Amino acid sequence: MRTLVNQLRRTVARLTPARTVLVAMLLGPTAGAFLAYGALAAQEPNEVVIDNFTFGPKDLTIPVGTTVKWVNHDDIPHTVVETSTSRAFRSKALDTDDSYSFTFASAGTFSYFCSLHPQMTGKIVVK
Amino acid sequence: MAKSGADDQAKGLGRREVLECMVWAGTGVLWTVSGGVPHSIGLIGEAAAAEATTGFTFLQMSDSHIGFDKKANPDALGTLREAVAKVKAMPTKPSFIIHTGDITHLSKPSEFDDSDKVFGETGVQMHWVPGEHDLIDEDRGKAYLDRYGKGSQGAGWYSYDDRGVHFIGLVNVVDLKAGGLGNLGAEQLAWLEADLKDRSNSTPIVVFSHIPLYVLYKEWGWGTEDGQRALDLLKRFGSVTVLNGHIHQLAQKVEGHMTFHTALSTAFPQPAPGSAPSPGPMVVPADQLRSKLGLSTVTVMQGNKPLAIIDKTLT
Ligand SMILES: [Cu+2]
C-alpha cells in the first residue's frame, strides 16, 4: 500500500490541483482520498519523504547533477547521514517538516541512514 | 579475586533465591517477579512502607523531551513540572535522581536552561546520561557535555559509589552504525572492565543508560549492539539492577541476579513493540495521557537484596 501511495503521490505531483480533484472524483472515494492527500503533500520527483521512521522511496536512482531533498514528516527529529566514514553528506537534525538538500555531482551508489535511529536506511544511485 | 568472589557469590545466593521486583502501574497493586513470572503480592502501602525503612531511596526519571510540543503532548515541559511537583511532595526526600536521557527534545540551549530550572526545583542531586535527543546540537554533544558531563569520560560515561552501592552511567547513543542498534564502543567497554576489576562480587551494582542494554525489540532499534558485552562483565556480581529509558513504557525482566527496568517518560507514551507502524510518539485521549507518564522510585535494601522499584504515573 505504501508503494501504491508513493506512486500516486508522484503521479499527482505532476497534476494541477484542479485536475487532481477531477481525477479524484472519477476514481471514487478510496483512491480519491489518497490522491487528495498526495496533492496536499505533493512529493517532488527527487524528494525523499521521512514518514513513520522510514525513508520513502528507500532507493532512488537519479542522473548526475541532481539535487535530492529529504523532508521529515515525523513528530521526531531524524538525520540523513551517508554511511561511509568519509560522510559524503550529513544533515543536521531535521525537526518536523524540516528539509535537507544535497546535490550529487558524481556517479556512484550512496547508502545513508539516520544517525539517531540507525534502523532507518536508504540508498541513492547516481548514474 | 576469583576465590573471594566465589565465596561472596555463595553467601549472596542463599539470600537471593527469589528475586523481587515491585511495580505499581497506577492500579495500586504491587507485584513481584520470580523467574520472570509476575505475581500480585498485595497493595502498595503495606510492603512499600515495610521495605522503605531499612534502605535508601533514589528516583529514576526519563525521557522528559523538554521542548516537545506535538500532538502526543503539546506541553512536555508542563507534564515534567507535574512530575517534579510529585518529587517535591514526597514525605522522604530521595537521595538523588538518575535521569536516563532524552532530557531535551532538540538539544537547544533554551531546553537545557529549562532542564536546569525545573530539575533544580527538586533540590535533589541529579545524575545524568544522555539520550540521542541530547546530542543533536551543531557540535554533536558539546551542549550536553558542557552542561552535565563534568567529571565524565568520553561521551559522558562515569561511575560513583553511594552507601555501598556502585552506580555506573553508560552512554549508548553515540556513533551508531547504519542498520544497527545502540552502541557502547570498545573504549567505553574497556573503561567499564577497568572500573569493575577490583570490586568484590558482593558489591550491589546499578547500571543505567538511555537505550536498553539488552535487545528488547530489534526492529525498532530497542537494544544495544554490544550491550551483552557489558552484561557479561557484570555477570559475576550478586545484585545487578539495569535502568533504562528510551521506549517510554514500563518493561521489566529478571535474569539470574540481574533485574532490568525501563521507566516511563514524563513527556509522551510510545506504542508497545510492533503494535504500530513506527515507535513514534503515541497519541492517546487527553484524559489518559497522565496515566501513561511517570517516574520510578528505587529503594535499596540493606543486606544486598534486590532493589525494589515502584513506578508511579502522573495521574
Ligand atoms: Cu531517525
Side-chain angles (χ1 to χ4, degrees):
Chain A
M1 183 50 101
R2 176 168 287 278
T3 316
L4 172 66
V5 173
N6 280 340
Q7 272 173 6
L8 285 170
R9 275 196 200 164
R10 255 168 265 144
T11 312
V12 164
R14 291 191 287 271
L15 300 173
T16 63
R19 282 169 77 185
T20 305
V21 172
L22 181 67
V23 175
M25 282 162 66
L26 290 171
L27 281 174
T30 310
F34 282 122
L35 283 175
Y37 174 62
L40 281 173
Q43 186 168 3
E44 290 152 30
N46 299 311
E47 191 171 272
V48 178
V49 166
I50 304 171
D51 250 326
N52 275 324
F53 289 58
T54 310
F55 293 109
K58 189 176 159 70
D59 297 345
L60 179 66
T61 302
I62 51 162
V64 172
T66 306
T67 299
V68 176
K69 182 181 173 191
W70 286 264
V71 188
N72 180 17
H73 286 169
D74 273 347
D75 279 353
I76 283 286
H78 296 294
T79 65
V80 177
V81 179
E82 201 256 327
T83 305
S84 77
T85 44
S86 62
R87 304 282 197 231
F89 52 92
R90 163 172 228 149
S91 78
K92 287 188 249 177
L94 308 175
D95 195 11
T96 308
D97 296 331
D98 281 356
S99 67
Y100 168 72
S101 295
F102 182 79
T103 304
F104 289 84
S106 53
T109 297
F110 298 87
S111 296
Y112 65 91
F113 72 116
C114 167
S115 61
L116 304 176
H117 312 104
Q119 303 280 312
M120 297 170 57
T121 58
K123 192 164 69 185
I124 307 290
V125 180
V126 187
K127 284 187 171 163
Chain B
M1 189 189 76
K3 189 174 181 299
S4 81
D7 289 344
D8 288 342
Q9 190 111 356
K11 261 184 272 165
L13 265 176
R15 276 187 248 124
R16 221 172 300 103
E17 271 160 349
V18 178
L19 285 160
E20 291 179 350
C21 214
M22 295 167 209
V23 166
W24 181 44
T27 57
V29 176
L30 203 62
W31 52 276
T32 173
V33 179
S34 22
V37 185
H39 307 282
S40 168
I41 57 165
L43 293 172
I44 187 163
E46 319 153 11
E51 303 287 6
T53 50
T54 54
F56 77 102
T57 293
F58 65 92
L59 302 182
Q60 181 190 4
M61 296 181 76
S62 201
D63 296 271
S64 305
H65 287 263
I66 294 169
F68 183 85
D69 59 1
K70 304 297 191 300
K71 255 193 324 226
N73 181 356
D75 185 13
L77 184 61
T79 47
L80 172 62
R81 284 184 196 282
E82 290 175 33
V84 163
K86 292 218 181 265
V87 176
K88 283 157 74 177
M90 282 177 177
T92 314
K93 253 199 179 175
S95 293
F96 52 83
I97 298 171
I98 286 176
H99 196 294
T100 43
D102 284 356
I103 306 153
T104 69
H105 192 59
L106 296 168
S107 308
K108 290 181 182 168
S110 60
E111 296 172 347
F112 280 115
D113 287 347
D114 282 336
S115 164
D116 281 352
K117 201 165 141 226
V118 176
F119 285 108
E121 283 172 22
T122 63
V124 176
Q125 194 194 355
M126 300 292 301
H127 295 285
W128 315 89
V129 282
E132 72 278 8
H133 287 258
D134 300 315
L135 306 177
I136 50 178
D137 55 314
E138 297 252 336
D139 297 309
R140 297 203 294 273
K142 189 174 181 296
Y144 170 84
L145 283 177
D146 284 353
R147 194 81 65 140
Y148 299 132
K150 293 194 181 63
S152 69
Q153 316 275 318
W157 58 83
Y158 60 97
S159 68
Y160 64 96
D161 293 281
D162 201 324
R163 276 156 275 207
V165 179
H166 188 57
F167 291 85
I168 305 167
L170 298 178
V171 180
N172 56 1
V173 293
V174 171
D175 199 17
L176 308 185
K177 307 286 184 290
L181 305 167
N183 174 54
L184 293 163
E187 192 191 345
Q188 187 169 199
L189 285 166
W191 170 85
L192 177 64
E193 188 169 6
D195 181 73
L196 294 172
K197 194 168 171 281
D198 295 325
R199 287 176 207 284
S200 92
N201 290 359
S202 60
T203 309
I205 306 276
V206 174
V207 56
F208 53 100
S209 64
H210 180 61
I211 299 177
L213 283 180
Y214 69 100
V215 180
L216 199 142
Y217 191 60
K218 190 171 187 293
E219 288 74 4
W220 285 355
W222 288 359
T224 301
E225 203 75 43
D226 49 4
Q228 190 54 49
R229 293 188 51 199
L231 298 177
D232 286 345
L233 292 169
L234 293 163
K235 248 184 201 151
R236 67 179 172 91
F237 292 91
S239 164
V240 180
T241 305
V242 185
L243 305 176
N244 305 112
H246 189 58
I247 68 168
H248 297 218
Q249 62 199 283
L250 293 174
Q252 299 231 34
K253 182 171 89 143
V254 178
E255 236 181 59
H257 302 170
M258 291 194 185
T259 302
F260 299 84
H261 174 267
T262 63
L264 293 167
S265 160
T266 63
F268 54 85
Q270 284 178 190
S275 69
S278 82
M282 184 166 74
V283 179
V284 297
D287 62 347
Q288 284 171 34
L289 177 63
R290 281 158 184 78
S291 71
K292 312 258 182 223
L293 308 178
L295 66 164
S296 309
T297 306
V298 186
T299 301
V300 180
M301 258 83 76
Q302 276 176 356
N304 200 12
K305 284 187 201 142
L307 281 57
I309 303 170
I310 299 169
D311 299 289
K312 291 185 187 189
T313 65
L314 294 188
T315 44

